Amino acid sequence: MKSTKLLQFLQTLDGYDWRSLLAFVESPFHNPNPDAHRLLGHLHALWTEEWKPETLEREAIFKTLFPKQPYRYQMLNQLMSDLLKLAEDWLVWKRLQEDTALAEQIKAEELVRLQLGKHYRQANRKAKNALEKAPLSPAYHLQSWKLLDLAEQQFFRQNTRQPTPFLQEANHALDDFFMLQKLQYTCEMLNRQRLIDQAFDPTLVEPVINHLSGQDLSHKPLHQLYLYLYQMLQAPARHQETFFSYVNLFREWSARLSPETARPLLYYAINYCIGRIRDGERSFAPHLLGLYQQGIDEKILIEEKQLSPWTYKNMVKLGLNLKRYDWVEDFVKAYSDYLPPDQQKDALHYNLAELYFYRAEYEAALDQLRQVEFTDIHYNLGSRTLLAKIYYEQGAWDALEASLKAFQVFLRRNRSISTKVKTPYANFIQLTGALLRQLPASYPKLRAKVEATQPLNNRDWLLAKLS
């Protein structure tokens, strides 16, 4: 049962989800099959014991559920299939419990279909009130159009010859949704074109841009944000002021945005800063840290109670480069628990080692490195690089030479590491070895070689040693 779709589904649940799903499956209205509830209860018990492999064998599960019957594969398979369908139905039910605006909209649709005018008007009021409280997103504009479309349908059913108050509004609302979705797709096309060199054809975008550019968008912040973003992606270097307008508007409205809407918008701003920094504009580093900090403070960058290891690492590196050492120490200790469980310990110790290295507390850095267990290849490579830098700063030349040789052998023998990953570290080893052997008179020539070598890990450190 270990690789079944049912188990894969259940492994995504937390304690709150389990309680909700158990209550859903227990209800005879949702589930007329008591055996499905018994199976879920047994699997919940196995979840509390952290899914011990021997308990997940099909025969063991069947024997627990039906102790007096011989094992029947097809019977258990059907029961698992029934339970998976119930779990997927629960997802829909759960969404409707959480999304009041969507639930009220569906209710209003059904009342229009049943031609219950008085009931519809009350449901419509509830739907509009719920939508006013809903987070801003493309779905918000879609639901706004849907409610106006329902109002037009209801008005048309009354068969009056009076002017309709809804048709024009519904048309505008549909335009708003279409233009926002078109902008969103176009911006992502431009982004992916840059990242993976894939060609796209963003049809109809120019009329949308021209139309929105002539409008007052003060009451349509998502449209304005994506309009700014379109300009930034088209010509990053020419739209630095647009970037600051984008960031200010995002900060003004981020509390009203759904996390699913806010997250990509924040990452666009983060990636813009990273691009400017790579182009040599170091003044964007504090802005980048501010964006990361906002994403952490507002939980935008924490998805499913986890923080991306890459975001964590980037924030630490950025804080160190800005010499925000106390901030880095607080961040490393506070947020390592938000990383995937198998990376938490190494992330904590490795990043504390980096911090102590920047503070020139080399023995403390070495102590942290000794506690890194190398669960991730990048922590292994980073630790070996950091160890070499510590030995250089301590003047431990024999230890440095030995560590560089060991690092070189590790790269050569480890075939699971791609050449793309290996090369910057191999170049670091070669140039650090050259630094170890060269006299100061040869530094200018070596410095030129460091500047010209591509790709290279820790270029700034090497250049600092040669200055």
Side-chain angles (χ1 to χ4, degrees):
M1 185 177 179
K2 299 170 189 175
S3 59
T4 62
K5 290 193 289 184
L6 175 61
L7 192 61
Q8 290 170 1
F9 182 101
L10 296 177
Q11 286 172 333
T12 66
L13 306 184
D14 59 19
Y16 175 83
D17 287 336
W18 270 106
R19 289 190 292 275
S20 176
L21 179 58
L22 283 163
F24 181 88
V25 174
E26 186 179 18
S27 167
F29 177 79
H30 299 298
N31 172 32
N33 183 359
D35 287 341
H37 183 248
R38 289 174 56 226
L39 174 58
L40 182 63
H42 178 60
L43 293 173
H44 176 252
L46 299 184
W47 171 76
T48 62
E49 298 172 0
E50 299 185 350
W51 305 113
K52 294 178 181 176
E54 63 274 12
T55 64
L56 291 173
E57 297 296 334
R58 288 173 180 261
E59 291 85 349
I61 291 172
F62 188 93
K63 186 175 182 180
T64 300
L65 295 175
F66 309 105
K68 296 182 180 180
Q69 296 188 39
Y71 173 63
R72 293 167 58 189
Y73 175 89
Q74 191 58 42
M75 180 178 172
L76 181 60
N77 209 45
Q78 184 60 54
L79 188 56
M80 290 163 55
S81 178
D82 292 345
L83 181 54
L84 178 59
K85 183 179 183 305
L86 282 166
E88 291 170 345
D89 291 343
W90 166 76
L91 281 179
V92 179
W93 175 85
K94 179 169 170 276
R95 168 75 183 279
L96 291 175
Q97 305 308 303
E98 297 167 348
D99 193 337
T100 308
L102 178 60
E104 293 294 343
Q105 174 199 306
I106 294 171
K107 184 196 300 182
E109 288 177 5
E110 291 304 301
L111 291 170
V112 167
R113 182 179 64 82
L114 295 171
Q115 300 185 39
L116 294 171
K118 290 183 179 179
H119 301 74
Y120 158 74
R121 285 191 290 275
Q122 183 179 10
N124 185 55
R125 282 195 299 272
K126 287 184 177 180
K128 287 196 287 189
N129 289 338
L131 189 58
E132 287 175 3
K133 299 173 186 175
L136 288 178
S137 67
Y140 171 93
H141 288 279
L142 177 61
Q143 290 178 359
S144 296
W145 164 72
K146 191 63 181 175
L147 289 178
L148 286 164
D149 180 61
L150 280 174
E152 170 58 23
Q153 290 181 41
Q154 177 64 15
F155 182 85
F156 183 77
R157 284 173 183 269
Q158 294 172 1
N159 200 25
T160 66
R161 292 189 174 274
Q162 298 177 8
T164 172
F166 304 113
L167 188 56
Q168 186 65 63
E169 290 182 54
N171 184 69
H172 286 323
L174 180 58
D175 286 346
D176 284 344
F177 169 68
F178 168 79
M179 288 188 289
L180 177 57
Q181 194 68 65
K182 174 57 69 175
L183 273 177
Q184 190 177 31
Y185 283 149
T186 301
C187 287
E188 187 54 29
M189 286 177 180
L190 292 172
N191 185 48
R192 295 202 197 175
Q193 220 164 258
R194 178 179 57 85
L195 292 174
I196 59 177
D197 196 27
Q198 181 180 359
F200 292 98
D201 180 18
T203 55
L204 298 179
V205 68
E206 288 304 324
V208 169
I209 297 296
N210 293 336
H211 180 78
L212 289 176
S213 297
Q215 281 194 9
D216 174 14
L217 298 178
S218 57
H219 62 298
K220 298 176 185 177
L222 277 178
H223 292 76
Q224 183 67 76
L225 281 166
Y226 274 101
L227 191 58
Y228 284 149
L229 182 57
Y230 174 80
Q231 295 167 344
M232 288 156 52
L233 290 168
Q234 284 279 54
R238 291 209 317 266
H239 286 283
Q240 292 191 13
E241 290 305 315
T242 303
F243 164 78
F244 293 114
S245 298
Y246 176 93
V247 169
N248 290 335
L249 186 61
F250 178 81
R251 285 182 172 147
E252 181 184 348
W253 285 91
S254 62
R256 275 294 317 276
L257 303 179
S258 70
E260 295 75 20
T261 302
R263 193 171 296 116
L265 288 170
L266 181 57
Y267 272 123
Y268 277 126
I270 285 171
N271 290 336
Y272 180 90
C273 282
I274 291 172
R276 306 317 305 145
I277 293 169
R278 283 176 179 162
D279 288 343
E281 298 180 49
R282 299 292 180 97
S283 62
F284 275 85
H287 300 298
L288 177 57
L289 188 60
L291 289 168
Y292 274 130
Q293 186 67 61
Q294 180 185 1
I296 293 295
D297 292 343
E298 298 180 9
K299 300 292 190 287
I300 298 170
L301 297 179
I302 297 176
E303 189 173 3
E304 298 295 330
K305 300 179 182 177
Q306 283 196 356
L307 177 63
S308 160
W310 295 109
T311 299
Y312 181 89
K313 183 179 178 182
N314 288 344
M315 291 182 70
V316 171
K317 184 65 73 176
L318 185 61
L320 292 174
N321 288 335
L322 290 170
K323 296 183 170 50
R324 299 275 300 276
Y325 300 143
D326 291 342
W327 178 89
V328 169
E329 184 166 12
D330 292 341
F331 173 77
V332 167
K333 293 178 178 177
Y335 285 94
S336 63
D337 289 344
Y338 285 85
L339 297 172
D342 62 339
Q343 296 188 30
Q344 290 175 6
K345 186 176 179 182
D346 275 2
L348 176 66
H349 293 305
Y350 174 78
N351 285 291
L352 284 177
E354 282 249 82
L355 169 65
Y356 295 141
F357 173 79
Y358 272 75
R359 284 176 167 168
E361 299 172 16
Y362 301 124
E363 289 302 321
L366 286 170
D367 182 59
Q368 292 295 327
L369 282 181
R370 292 185 190 106
Q371 299 178 67
V372 177
E373 296 177 353
F374 307 129
T375 55
D376 181 275
I377 188 61
H378 296 287
Y379 286 126
N380 193 328
L381 296 169
S383 295
R384 290 173 183 274
T385 304
L386 185 56
L387 184 64
K389 288 159 62 179
I390 291 171
Y391 286 150
Y392 183 93
E393 299 292 352
Q394 288 182 321
W397 311 123
D398 291 342
L400 172 57
E401 192 164 7
S403 73
L404 290 175
K405 286 180 180 177
F407 196 177
Q408 196 168 39
V409 170
F410 174 79
L411 287 179
R412 187 170 61 249
R413 291 181 177 175
N414 198 321
R415 296 182 180 178
S416 65
I417 307 174
S418 70
T419 301
K420 184 178 180 180
V421 172
K422 282 183 180 180
T423 303
Y425 292 99
N427 289 337
F428 169 80
I429 294 168
Q430 179 189 8
L431 291 168
T432 304
L435 174 63
L436 182 61
R437 294 185 295 271
Q438 296 283 344
L439 294 173
S442 303
Y443 280 5
K445 185 177 179 181
L446 182 57
R447 181 182 178 86
K449 187 174 181 181
V450 169
E451 290 174 338
T453 300
Q454 296 289 349
L456 175 60
N457 192 279
N458 279 271
R459 187 190 310 277
D460 287 348
W461 179 80
L462 285 165
L463 290 174
K465 300 301 106 181
L466 290 164
S467 62

